[in-house]
Amino acid sequence: MQYTYDITPEDFVALNLYFYEHDPVIQKSTQKLRMGGTMLVFFGGLVLMLALDSFTPLAVVVYGIAAALVYKFLPKRIVHNVRKNVDRTLKTASSKSICGQKTFTMDEKTCTLVGEEEHSSYEYSAFSKIVDDKEDIYLFLDDVSALIIPHRAFADGQARADFVTGISAKIEAAKAEKNPESTVDKPEGAV
């Protein structure tokens, strides 16, 4: 089976947002940042009001509202920064062929990804996880590296589901052949 598609900057943004939304370490760090920012605004404001000898109930309300706004809108700011940093990374990358046309080919024992300046071949046992996300399928090689195959590479939802089922079976078989006790994580969000 062969699939030809274009990788866009939005595909890389989507992959990084997937990490942001699903990685437990990032989620824990974001929660700590939200709590710390909230407490800094609230208690810092109150201490400032005490230092300026202008502590009033209105100040408590104002800094309470400001702290709640920090807590609510900080994740949106982080998403904005993820997008901005991915765009900056793509613009300054040494290889300008990160985006562009790719061809993903599945054989019996290996799969191949060919692009403008790349030609990579992978045994199916190299993949650790498959994620069928909102707009893309991610074939993870480890916790942070993944091949991106956009949904637009498939004729329809059934073709995409067949791909996920087929590659999952090949990965399972390859892992079972190499190590009978090893298995791949089941696809997340599979249709």
Side-chain angles (χ1 to χ4, degrees):
M1 300 289 295
Q2 187 171 10
Y3 304 90
T4 300
Y5 51 89
D6 287 317
I7 293 291
T8 65
E10 276 304 307
D11 295 319
F12 280 100
V13 169
L15 176 62
N16 282 274
L17 289 176
Y18 174 83
F19 281 126
Y20 170 71
E21 293 168 357
H22 294 91
D23 185 77
V25 173
I26 292 174
Q27 288 301 301
K28 188 173 183 179
S29 296
T30 299
Q31 188 62 23
K32 285 181 180 179
L33 185 61
R34 288 175 83 183
M35 295 301 293
T38 300
M39 291 174 18
L40 180 66
V41 168
F42 184 70
F43 292 115
L46 295 181
V47 168
L48 178 65
M49 291 295 104
L50 283 172
L52 297 175
D53 199 26
S54 50
F55 187 81
T56 64
L58 180 62
V60 174
V61 171
V62 167
Y63 282 107
I65 291 170
L69 291 172
V70 166
Y71 187 82
K72 178 169 177 55
F73 291 107
L74 186 63
K76 292 181 185 205
R77 182 68 186 162
I78 292 171
V79 167
H80 170 76
N81 286 339
V82 167
R83 290 180 179 281
K84 186 173 76 174
N85 289 334
V86 169
D87 286 339
R88 184 181 312 137
T89 299
L90 290 173
K91 287 176 184 167
T92 61
S94 59
S95 173
K96 298 299 179 191
S97 67
I98 293 173
C99 294
Q101 191 174 64
K102 310 287 182 195
T103 301
F104 184 80
T105 307
M106 294 172 50
D107 296 328
E108 254 334 283
K109 298 281 184 190
T110 62
C111 56
T112 307
L113 181 65
V114 177
E116 185 178 324
E117 293 179 14
E118 68 182 310
H119 185 109
S120 305
S121 185
Y122 305 93
E123 292 183 5
Y124 290 109
S125 61
F127 296 108
S128 62
K129 178 170 70 169
I130 301 169
V131 175
D132 190 359
D133 203 28
K134 293 172 259 184
E135 297 293 324
D136 301 297
I137 295 171
Y138 306 122
L139 304 175
F140 282 89
L141 296 162
D142 56 35
D143 289 341
V144 295
S145 301
L147 301 182
I148 302 170
I149 302 177
H151 289 179
R152 62 186 172 275
F154 306 99
D156 56 24
Q158 185 59 50
R160 186 179 81 240
D162 292 345
F163 170 81
V164 170
T165 302
I167 198 162
S168 295
K170 287 180 182 288
I171 292 169
E172 285 288 334
K175 287 193 178 282
E177 185 178 306
K178 268 195 166 182
N179 182 1
E181 297 171 12
S182 175
T183 61
V184 68
D185 291 343
K186 299 294 181 198
E188 294 177 21
V191 178

